[in-house]
Amino acid sequence: MNSMKFTFIRTDQSNLQHMRTMSLQRFIERIRHDTKEQTVQELRRFIRYNADQPYYQFHDMHKLPRIYPTVEMGRGDGDSYTPKNFNGIILLSINKLKTDNQIREIKLLAQSMPMTLAAFEGSSGKSVKILVLATRYNGEVPQTEDEASDFYRRAYSMATNIYNAILPHPVTERDTSGSVIPAETTATDAFSFRMTFDPDPFFNEKAIGMKVPEREMPATTAAGNTTTSAPAPESNERVSKGTRDLVAFMNQHYELRYNTIMGYTEYRAKESLAKFAPVDDRTKNSFAMEARLAGLDVWDKDINRFVMSKMIKNYNPVEEYLWRVHTRWDGKDHIRDMARRVPTDSPQWADWFYTWFLGMVAQWLGRSKTYGNSTVPLLISRQGYNKSTFCKSLIPNELQWGYNDSLMLSDKKAVLQAMSQFLLINLDEFNAITPKVQEGFLKNVIQLANVKVKRPYGKHVEVFPRLASFIATANMTDILADPSGSRRFIGIELTGPIKVSRHINHEQLYAQAYNAILNGEPYWFDAQQTELIMQNNRKFQMQQPIEQFFFERFDIAEEETSGEYLTATAIFSHIKKVAGSSISNTNIRSFGRWLMNLDGLQHKGSNQGTKYLVRKKM
């Protein structure tokens, strides 16, 4: 089994075929992760939102090769393929599954069979592929094409009957009359499948081969009669009648979906134009009363189990919106055009806004795994310049539930929870945030990639992916309290009111962002850009009285011969002699940090601590 290799055949956009092989173990590890372009998940979204179209119309289908687990192939004459080794693997497919729970159940039941080599979710997200190991009675596998084709046909029929007897959904019947070796452009479903993605596949490298007789064997019923095939059991035999009736009743009268961002199930009546609403306790009681009035023997707990189960399909409103618009981009630069609505003298603003906007969308898509979108545009002007209106207008109407401009930073738990449920948080009136909060809590949360919070009535702290990015507005220019944290902000002073009357084409904004991210454009700032941002932010730095006194009493020396090295305490003491009681000793630590980040000020270590090269003014 260690030498067993699968064959991969990919047909590119020019209809040319490319072949390679991969070991079984490497294949199992490979499907634990999607492709770099997330192609399998893109295919699943296409199928989900384009149910009326055949899946092969997916625009990136050529990126997903067909995989032949039955045989390791090589190139023959011309464009033909020739077998090198047959693996004795039978491919079974269980299709048209509707829920993740059904997929997990089939994978679990398949594990109970000793001949199951592997079981994993198919590329459509609505199927399970089971690889069954089969051998002759002597433990060998045929190694000629004719013998192998007959062997696989009999083994496939035998495996189908066996697995149909234990699975709640029947194996999808496939035509196995052809050869296991594909023609130049043929993809035989019975012997191949598309590259897939399953983070938790089942794999048993100690699987015991199913013994396949040399001739066709009739199936035997429990009564001793022979029949050509064993019928598949009804998928609901294991389910009680009451539960079946409840599921049928709910599906007949309601549309249900689980909002993965908000963490609750939503509903609306079938064929209703109303918006989806959360399923709260009152709604669940109504479901139970309606079901009982319809003659169903169900109780509140049955309703609660159903609506909170994984039988309800997942729904991510952000992914759905981005998927719907991403193919509509007209190729124009709508993001920088949006930035230019903000009047400013900063030449880099449009480019900085572009990168930040990509970072916001990447955060929604879960691309920022290590660090969150840790940069905050800070719009500065007097009141009446439409700053808050501009911030809110960045979010489309369909996603306005994800905008928050009333967050209280003093409630740390609420802030963390908001970061997992909102899309954009506006720190309105940033100048009201104290220096202590700026330098501590806010500086920390801005860079988080995920948040740890305890749900209401929860028993333990849970980790949730961060969704929200930040933007801020202020009415004062000297507002950045922490020099070391100024790289987290993009300070922009407005020269006039923002133009908010023009129509905003949100579809183009987000289609451009989505395509830029898929094409690998950076959604973070490199070291050079960060340095420019920090230089830009110096004029917005908040100056404490002691910092003003420093420049009154000292110059920054360029050479040691023109100055002297002094500790922060020595410099502080000299200033205090002049300033008197207006300077508090509690400022020494922050003063030292300010000196360390002061541009052009040289420093060195000593036994007395860090010393700074300064020159006293006369």
Side-chain angles (χ1 to χ4, degrees):
M1 190 176 298
N2 291 333
S3 60
M4 190 179 291
K5 291 186 177 181
F6 291 179
T7 300
F8 287 54
I9 298 179
R10 182 177 66 85
T11 303
D12 63 22
Q13 291 177 300
S14 301
N15 209 33
L16 297 176
Q17 292 191 333
H18 309 268
M19 188 195 72
R20 64 189 179 103
T21 60
M22 182 181 291
S23 69
L24 167 61
Q25 289 81 359
R26 176 72 183 90
F27 166 75
I28 295 296
E29 287 302 315
R30 172 65 186 77
I31 65 173
R32 293 181 189 274
H33 309 280
D34 201 348
T35 64
K36 292 182 179 179
E37 298 84 8
Q38 306 292 304
T39 309
V40 178
Q41 295 185 70
E42 290 292 323
L43 169 62
R44 292 173 182 175
R45 292 191 189 98
F46 175 87
I47 293 172
R48 178 179 176 184
Y49 300 119
N50 298 271
D52 57 332
Q53 300 183 36
Y55 76 93
Y56 55 75
Q57 290 187 3
F58 174 57
H59 55 86
D60 282 337
M61 188 61 79
H62 63 280
K63 295 181 180 179
L64 300 177
R66 295 207 72 88
I67 301 170
Y68 291 79
T70 56
V71 61
E72 176 188 358
M73 290 185 275
R75 282 288 188 179
D77 296 332
D79 293 326
S80 64
Y81 301 107
T82 182
K84 296 175 66 175
N85 291 295
F86 290 95
N87 296 325
I89 295 178
I90 312 302
L91 170 64
L92 302 181
S93 295
I94 297 87
N95 298 334
K96 297 182 179 180
L97 302 175
K98 296 182 179 179
T99 68
D100 292 341
N101 192 50
Q102 291 175 340
I103 291 174
R104 280 191 292 270
E105 181 182 14
I106 290 174
K107 287 168 59 177
L108 183 63
L109 290 172
Q111 295 177 31
S112 65
M113 303 302 291
M115 69 280 290
T116 300
L117 182 62
F120 45 86
E121 186 174 356
S123 59
S124 67
K126 297 179 180 296
S127 66
V128 172
K129 307 298 180 184
I130 301 176
L131 303 183
V132 181
L133 191 62
T135 68
R136 289 171 167 168
Y137 273 94
N138 61 5
E140 297 178 351
V141 176
Q143 290 300 315
T144 67
E145 185 174 349
D146 290 340
E147 289 181 343
S149 295
D150 179 64
F151 171 82
Y152 282 120
R153 180 177 57 81
R154 287 183 284 108
Y156 180 87
S157 177
M158 184 175 174
T160 298
N161 289 336
I162 292 174
Y163 282 80
N164 272 341
I166 66 164
L167 298 180
H169 297 268
V171 175
T172 303
E173 294 185 7
R174 299 295 189 190
D175 181 10
T176 59
S177 60
S179 172
V180 297
I181 308 299
E184 180 180 353
T185 58
T186 300
T188 307
D189 285 339
F191 300 112
S192 70
F193 58 91
R194 290 277 183 187
M195 171 56 79
T196 187
F197 162 62
D198 186 336
D200 187 29
F202 169 72
F203 174 50
N204 178 19
E205 57 184 345
K206 296 183 179 180
I208 301 173
M210 177 183 67
K211 304 299 184 182
V212 181
E214 294 297 318
R215 60 186 179 85
E216 199 77 42
M217 296 292 289
T220 304
T221 66
N225 301 319
T226 59
T227 179
T228 56
S229 63
E234 292 296 326
S235 63
N236 57 8
E237 281 183 356
R238 302 172 184 269
V239 185
S240 69
K241 183 178 184 304
T243 303
R244 291 201 310 270
D245 290 344
L246 172 61
V247 173
F249 174 84
M250 294 298 296
N251 289 334
Q252 179 183 355
H253 292 87
Y254 297 101
E255 294 179 62
L256 296 164
R257 66 190 189 189
Y258 183 76
N259 191 316
T260 57
I261 291 180
M262 304 308 294
Y264 53 60
T265 300
E266 301 174 330
Y267 82 102
R268 73 178 177 189
K270 276 286 181 70
E271 301 179 359
S272 170
L273 297 179
K275 294 182 178 180
F276 278 88
V279 176
D280 55 19
D281 289 340
R282 186 179 183 187
T283 303
K284 286 185 282 189
N285 289 336
S286 298
F287 288 160
M289 291 299 296
E290 291 171 10
R292 292 190 67 80
L293 288 172
L296 276 63
D297 185 19
V298 297
W299 296 93
D300 300 1
K301 63 180 181 180
D302 301 314
I303 295 289
N304 190 60
R305 287 170 180 167
F306 174 66
V307 299
M308 293 305 296
S309 73
K310 292 185 178 179
M311 294 183 69
I312 307 300
K313 67 178 181 180
N314 285 344
Y315 164 74
N316 185 312
V318 178
E319 286 187 1
E320 180 173 319
Y321 177 82
L322 293 175
W323 174 256
R324 177 166 57 82
V325 306
H326 87 281
T327 58
R328 303 178 184 179
W329 184 38
D330 59 12
K332 299 178 181 178
D333 192 350
H334 295 271
I335 300 176
R336 289 185 177 87
D337 182 59
M338 185 73 183
R340 294 185 187 102
R341 299 188 185 196
V342 179
T344 179
D345 292 332
S346 174
Q348 295 93 4
W349 163 241
D351 290 333
W352 288 345
F353 179 84
Y354 179 85
T355 301
W356 171 82
F357 195 90
L358 295 192
M360 177 177 69
V361 177
Q363 189 75 65
W364 299 354
L365 293 170
R367 296 297 183 97
S368 302
K369 299 294 187 183
T370 305
Y371 299 101
N373 186 16
S374 56
T375 310
V376 183
L378 176 55
L379 307 181
I380 305 168
S381 77
R382 65 187 185 188
Q383 292 184 349
Y385 274 37
N386 303 319
K387 300 185 295 296
S388 298
T389 302
F390 173 80
C391 295
K392 186 174 183 179
S393 70
L394 295 176
I395 304 299
N397 290 335
E398 298 93 321
L399 303 178
Q400 271 295 314
W401 53 263
Y403 178 78
N404 188 322
D405 58 2
S406 58
L407 198 61
M408 299 295 293
L409 294 181
S410 57
D411 189 344
K412 296 182 180 180
K413 181 179 179 181
V415 173
L416 294 175
Q417 187 169 350
M419 290 176 66
S420 69
Q421 292 185 335
F422 288 95
L423 306 178
L424 179 62
I425 296 174
N426 177 12
L427 301 174
D428 210 9
E429 297 187 7
F430 184 83
N431 42 280
I433 300 174
T434 66
K436 182 178 180 181
V437 173
Q438 277 194 47
E439 297 176 34
F441 178 66
L442 182 59
K443 180 180 176 181
N444 176 57
V445 299
I446 285 175
Q447 60 189 353
L448 293 178
N450 51 59
V451 294
K452 298 178 180 180
V453 295
K454 184 178 179 181
R455 297 180 197 245
Y457 310 109
K459 296 182 179 179
H460 54 84
V461 174
E462 298 178 70
V463 179
F464 296 94
R466 168 185 167 183
L467 282 178
S469 291
F470 290 91
I471 195 167
T473 66
N475 303 325
M476 299 169 55
T477 55
D478 54 338
I479 51 175
L480 295 178
D482 181 10
S484 65
S486 66
R487 70 181 185 275
R488 304 291 181 204
F489 298 91
I490 304 174
I492 297 297
E493 187 170 7
L494 277 60
T495 58
I498 300 175
K499 305 174 182 67
V500 294
S501 59
R502 287 171 50 196
H503 170 71
I504 300 173
N505 192 329
H506 289 101
E507 288 191 352
Q508 289 298 322
L509 278 175
Y510 287 96
Q512 180 186 357
Y514 193 94
N515 281 275
I517 293 168
L518 290 182
N519 290 332
E521 290 193 38
Y523 45 85
W524 59 90
F525 294 96
D526 60 26
Q528 183 178 4
Q529 292 169 322
T530 300
E531 180 60 32
L532 286 175
I533 290 173
M534 293 184 69
Q535 291 178 15
N536 171 79
N537 287 342
R538 288 196 183 106
K539 57 181 173 287
F540 306 118
Q541 201 70 45
M542 184 186 300
Q543 274 202 342
Q544 300 295 331
I546 189 171
E547 296 164 6
Q548 297 174 3
F549 276 117
F550 172 83
F551 287 110
E552 287 185 7
R553 308 304 303 173
F554 291 93
D555 286 324
I556 297 175
E558 296 182 359
E559 298 179 359
E560 191 170 350
T561 56
S562 62
E564 60 180 320
Y565 278 100
L566 298 176
T567 64
T569 302
I571 297 172
F572 185 90
S573 298
H574 183 79
I575 292 173
K576 190 170 177 60
K577 290 178 182 179
V578 177
S581 60
S582 62
I583 301 298
S584 170
N585 290 336
T586 58
N587 291 327
I588 294 179
R589 180 176 297 179
S590 60
F591 178 62
R593 187 164 61 249
W594 177 79
L595 288 174
M596 181 64 71
N597 289 277
L598 188 58
D599 188 37
L601 181 59
Q602 300 180 48
H603 60 273
K604 67 178 182 179
S606 72
N607 293 335
Q608 298 171 299
T610 303
K611 289 186 174 183
Y612 303 90
L613 185 58
V614 295
R615 181 174 61 250
K616 294 178 183 178
K617 291 184 177 180
M618 299 300 294

